[in-house]
Amino acid sequence: MSNTAQIILDGKTYELPIIEGTERERAIDISKLRALTGGVTTIDPGYKNTGATESAITFLDGEKGILRYRGYSIEELAERSTFLEVAYLLIYGDLPNEEQLTTWKSDITLHTLVHEEIKNILDGFPSNAHPMGVLSSLISALTAFYPKSLDPNRSMDQVDLSIVRIIAKMPTIAAWAFKNEIGHPVNYPDNTLNYCENFIKMLFATPAEIYHVDPVLSNALNKLLILHADHEQNCSTSTVRIVGSSQASLYSSISAGISALWGPLHGGANQAVIEMLEEIKASGGDTKKYLDKAKDKNDPFRLMGFGHRVYKNFDPRATIIKKAADDVLNKLGVNDPVLEIARGLEEAALKDEYFISRKLYPNVDFYSGIIYRAMGIPTEMFTVMFTLGRLPGWIAQWKEMRENNEPIGRPRQIYTGHNSRPYMELGER
Ligand code: ACO
C-alpha cells in the first residue's frame, strides 16, 4: 500500500504522507497542506472525516462494533473490572498491579471531602438549578481552591494531585448538586465504602434513616461508569482537549467538557430518551406515530438514543446495557412500562427502511436511562451519571495531549461574508 497520497491542484501535484495506526487505520497527513499550496485549506463541518490527533487510549471500529480501552475489550472490562481500575488504566496506560491499585484507591479516598466553602457557592444556586450546570460551575470553582492547579506545566506530581482530587471530589459535588435540587441537606463522603457505594449513599441517604447501599445498585453503577469511561474524540472529549490545548487547567478543561456533554445530541440524550419514552407512554404507546415523526424531514423530532456518528453497525455498549437493564430490573423487582415501549420502539425501528438505510441503531443511552430510573435516580441526574463515568477518559485525553506537546487547537474557516465595505454613519443605515 502506498505511503503517500497525491493532491492535484491547478495542475500541480502535491505529495502528502499517509500515517497508519496500530490497528491499520490510515490517514492523509494534511498538516503541511497550506504551506505547500500557498494557503489552500480543507473543510469538514462537524469533523466527520477529520482526525484531530494520534491517540493511544481508546480504539473503536464503528463498522465492526469494537470498543477497547488501551487494548482491553469493553465487554471484558465491564464484566470483570472496577471503575477505579479502569480509570487508572485509561489515565496511566496499564491496569494497576496490587500495590498501585491500593495506593490509587487510598489516594482517592483521602481526597473525597470538598472545601466547606463549596457549600456556600452551592447555596447561591436556585434550588431548581439543573445539576449539570451546578456541576460544571463547581468543577470550575475548584481552581479557586487549588490555585497551583492553574499551571498545567507545573510538576507531574501537581498534575497527578489534580487528577486524584477531581476523581475523588466529583461524586461528592455531583451528589451535592442533586441534594441542592431537591432541597435536602448534603451528605459527606463515607470512606469506608468503595467509590460507587459512597456515591450512592451520598445521593440517597437522609438524616432521617440509616441507609444501606444495595449491592445491585453499586454493581450496576460500576458497570455503567466503565461503559461510559472513554470514547475517543467525541464532542465533549474534543472540547476538553481543545480547551486544554490553550494550557488551561485540568479543572477548567473538564468543566468545559461537562458543558459539551450536557447537550441532548451527546450525553444529554439519556435524559431525552426517558422523556421521549414517557411521552410515547402518555400517548397510549403509539410508537408508529413517533417513528413517523422521526422520519419526517419537516419535523425536528429525532428518535433519541438512536444513531451514532461512528457506530454504523451496532454500539457494543448498547448491547451490554440492554442485557444489564433486564438484569437490574429483575433483581430490583421493578416493572417499568417504558422498558416495554423501548423494546417495541427498537424492534420497529430496526425493521424500518429509514433506519436500516441510514444505519441507525440504539446507542449507549437508549437503555441506560431505564437502569438509572430503576435505581431511583431522577431523570435530570442521568447526564451527571454519564459525567462521572466519562471523567477518567477526559483526564486521560487531556494528559496525553499535554504530554505530546500538542499545539493549540485552532481550526481554519472559509470566509463567506461581505467583502470590504466602508463604515456607514448611523443616519445612513
Ligand atoms: N432519528 C431520526 N433520524 C436520524 C437520527 C435519529 N435519532 N439520527 C440520525 N438521523 C438521520 C439524519 O436525519 C440523517 O438523515 P438524512 O441523511 O436523510 O439527512 C442521517 O440519519 C444521518 O444523520 P446525521 O445527523 O448526519 O448523523 P450525525 O453523525 O451527524 O449525528 C447523532 C449523530 C447526533 C448521534 C444523531 O444520530 C442523533 O441526533 N441521534 C439522536 C441523539 C442521540 O441519541 N445522541 C446520543 C449519541 S451517543 C452519545 O453521544 C453518548
Side-chain angles (χ1 to χ4, degrees), residues 58-338:
T58 288
F59 171 69
L60 75 84
D61 182 329
E63 304 301 326
K64 297 193 184 125
I66 293 174
L67 174 61
R68 292 186 206 127
Y69 300 158
R70 303 275 190 191
Y72 294 101
S73 82
I74 191 66
E75 289 81 6
E76 225 177 339
L77 290 170
E79 194 55 43
R80 300 174 59 179
S81 200
T82 65
F83 177 62
L84 282 190
E85 271 189 326
V86 170
Y88 188 99
L89 168 72
L90 286 165
I91 297 167
Y92 296 107
D94 283 304
L95 283 168
N97 62 28
E98 234 172 294
E99 193 191 330
Q100 288 164 329
L101 185 60
T102 307
T103 312
W104 177 237
K105 285 205 274 196
S106 74
D107 284 352
I108 288 171
T109 309
L110 195 68
H111 288 277
T112 51
L113 272 180
V114 298
H115 199 291
E116 277 296 293
E117 284 178 21
I118 291 267
K119 259 207 299 196
N120 298 340
I121 308 177
L122 183 70
D123 287 342
F125 282 94
S127 59
N128 60 354
H130 195 290
M132 281 299 276
V134 177
L135 188 60
S136 147
S137 309
L138 293 184
I139 292 298
S140 185
L142 288 179
T143 51
F145 296 90
Y146 305 106
K148 284 186 185 160
S149 70
L150 284 173
D151 179 3
N153 296 322
R154 259 186 135 94
S155 67
M156 262 328 278
D157 284 357
Q158 191 59 46
V159 171
D160 286 335
L161 182 58
S162 293
I163 291 174
V164 163
R165 278 194 176 125
I166 196 166
I167 294 181
K169 293 177 198 310
M170 179 78 93
T172 314
I173 295 174
W176 284 14
F178 170 59
K179 290 294 189 188
N180 173 69
E181 196 200 356
I182 58 169
H184 282 190
V186 299
N187 289 314
Y188 287 91
D190 178 345
N191 285 350
T192 63
L193 301 177
N194 72 28
Y195 195 80
C196 292
E197 290 166 344
N198 173 45
F199 176 65
I200 287 171
K201 185 171 174 196
M202 285 192 290
L203 206 57
F204 293 128
T206 70
E209 59 187 10
I210 295 169
Y211 184 84
H212 294 291
V213 181
D214 183 340
V216 175
L217 300 194
S218 51
N219 291 338
L221 182 61
N222 180 57
K223 190 172 279 206
L224 285 163
L225 296 187
I226 291 174
L227 291 176
H228 285 91
D230 194 46
H231 213 236
E232 49 116 304
Q233 310 309 317
N234 56 82
C235 174
S236 55
T237 303
S238 300
T239 302
V240 170
R241 283 185 89 122
I242 207 161
V243 173
S245 76
S246 74
Q247 304 201 355
S249 74
L250 177 66
Y251 300 144
S252 30
S253 306
I254 299 285
S255 166
I258 296 172
S259 300
L261 189 73
W262 192 359
L265 296 191
H266 190 16
N270 53 15
Q271 172 170 347
V273 168
I274 287 291
E275 286 165 355
M276 174 189 77
L277 295 174
E278 279 291 355
E279 204 181 303
I280 299 176
K281 189 177 126 220
S283 77
D286 190 353
T287 46
K288 184 176 177 309
K289 176 175 145 198
Y290 285 85
L291 282 183
D292 289 344
K293 268 167 78 63
K295 294 190 284 184
D296 181 355
K297 292 292 167 199
N298 297 316
D299 188 330
F301 176 80
R302 282 190 163 199
L303 203 56
M304 299 315 288
F306 255 76
H308 197 276
R309 170 60 61 81
V310 185
Y311 292 119
K312 300 298 174 196
N313 186 342
F314 68 95
D315 179 341
R317 302 165 303 171
T319 313
I320 302 171
I321 287 195
K322 186 178 177 186
K323 199 175 152 286
D326 278 337
D327 193 37
V328 171
L329 267 65
N330 272 338
K331 282 189 183 145
L332 293 175
V334 173
N335 183 12
D336 190 342
V338 303

